[in-house]
């Protein structure tokens, strides 16, 4: 099962690790690019992707 893109903050890292362990395809991103994502996130199964591949955030309403 595919999972959307999650951030790499404290909650996002935990989600990526647990969802990957459960067999999901998890992509992780941040605004600074995949080269700035800590090595423990991809090592635990999250796949670092550039922020351009993440969906745009909706603007303020």
């Amino acid at each position: 099962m595919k999972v959307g893109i999650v951030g790499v903050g404290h909650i996002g890292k935990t989600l990526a690790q647990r969802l990957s362990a459960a067999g999901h395809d998890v992509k992780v991103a941040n605004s600074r690019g995949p080269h700035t994502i800590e090595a423990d996130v991809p090592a635990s199964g999250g796949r670092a992707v550039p922020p351009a591949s993440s969906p745009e955030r909706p603007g303020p309403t």
Side-chain angles (χ1 to χ4, degrees):
M1 171 184 235
K2 288 186 178 182
V3 174
I5 298 172
V6 296
V8 289
H10 293 295
I11 294 172
K13 284 201 276 188
T14 301
L15 280 172
Q17 291 169 349
R18 293 192 180 187
L19 291 169
S20 293
H24 299 283
D25 177 26
V26 181
K27 297 177 186 174
V28 295
N30 65 16
S31 61
R32 297 176 311 245
H35 62 282
T36 63
I37 295 174
E38 295 176 18
D40 64 329
V41 177
S44 66
R47 186 165 35 111
V49 296
S53 65
S54 47
E56 289 187 35
R57 290 185 170 172
T61 56

